[in-house]
Amino acid sequence: MSVPVLTIDGPSGAGKGTVSRAVAKQLGWNYLDSGSIYRALAIAALNNNIELSDVKAVVKVAGAMQLEFDCGDELIVNLNGIDITHKLPTENTGNTASIIAAYPEVRAVLLQKQKDFQQAPGLVADGRDMGTVVFPDAANKVYLTASAKERAERRYKQLIEKGIDANLIQITEEIKLRDHRDQQRAIAPLIAAEDALYIDSSNLSIIQVIEEVLNWVR
Ligand code: C5P
């Protein structure tokens, strides 16, 4: 029997991370934050002063990067032996990640790194294409979204709480731009899998979303 997978896809700031972590904890399953892999690559590319339009160079960095994840209560990520956790949530990292995530060659290199997370007793995988491309056979799929305004406000609060400087108007614009890029790209675009449970969390609390997802799995 293959290890069960629950996929949670959706746009930036929909609450996927919080919901996925809580559901994984309740089920006692492993957790994959696939966005952090794209973000780690963005950091590696920026560290190496790589031109983002130079696909070959980005692919080379992707192939060479050594990632270690500690998926405890707080996700800790080491890139080539250095803790990059504090750099992961910034808007610059997210925007750079979304630019390089549009390259098919980059996605191909990162595919296996994501599949490797499918370990017993189960996996909750959060991202954009978990249910459509990386784990198409997952038994349970969720598409979690919220209005762009609501997501921008949540992201703003998150950043301020982490002590990171933020501007709400700029974040709203960046979220819309990132949505557009993620939804319109030719490969693995952000789209709900046909067999996904669709949840709009604009008017729901995180607790309500977690309950809905757990009920769906059980
Ligand atoms: O989810 P997160 O905001 O951390 O993801 C950062 C960017 O990485 C996304 O905007 C998206 O372009 C890309 N990504 C992706 N596929 C995934 C996860 C993230 O293309 N499975």
Side-chain angles (χ1 to χ4, degrees), residues 10-95:
S12 171
K16 301 187 303 290
T18 311
V19 171
S20 302
R21 220 181 312 254
V23 169
K25 198 168 180 183
Q26 286 274 335
L27 296 171
W29 287 7
N30 299 298
Y31 168 51
L32 164 61
D33 171 0
S34 62
S36 69
I37 297 182
Y38 288 92
R39 284 173 183 264
L41 175 56
I43 293 166
L46 292 171
N47 283 349
N48 285 286
N49 289 319
I50 284 187
E51 199 61 59
L52 298 181
S53 55
D54 186 346
V55 185
K56 270 194 186 160
V58 178
V59 167
K60 197 167 164 202
V61 173
M65 75 179 174
Q66 296 292 327
L67 289 177
E68 287 160 0
F69 291 84
D70 179 347
C71 303
D73 282 342
E74 291 288 325
L75 178 73
I76 297 171
V77 181
N78 281 355
L79 167 66
N80 301 332
I82 295 168
D83 185 352
I84 55 158
T85 311
H86 63 290
K87 288 188 178 173
L88 290 172
T90 71
E91 291 308 301
N92 186 34
T93 304
N95 288 325

Side-chain angles (χ1 to χ4, degrees), residues 76-157:
I76 297 171
V77 181
N78 281 355
L79 167 66
N80 301 332
I82 295 168
D83 185 352
I84 55 158
T85 311
H86 63 290
K87 288 188 178 173
L88 290 172
T90 71
E91 291 308 301
N92 186 34
T93 304
N95 288 325
T96 307
S98 119
I99 293 169
I100 55 187
Y103 299 140
E105 300 89 336
V106 168
R107 303 197 75 85
V109 173
L110 299 184
L111 187 63
Q112 193 56 47
K113 285 189 201 294
Q114 297 169 77
K115 286 183 180 285
D116 289 345
F117 277 79
Q118 190 176 359
Q119 303 283 343
L123 175 68
V124 179
D126 128 25
R128 303 291 187 289
D129 61 342
M130 297 295 100
T132 50
V133 175
V134 183
F135 302 107
D137 300 327
N140 291 99
K141 300 177 185 177
V142 170
Y143 187 83
L144 180 60
T145 189
S147 69
K149 179 174 175 286
E150 178 68 28
R151 288 184 283 127
E153 280 168 7
R154 289 180 194 167
R155 179 73 86 194
Y156 175 77
K157 264 196 200 158

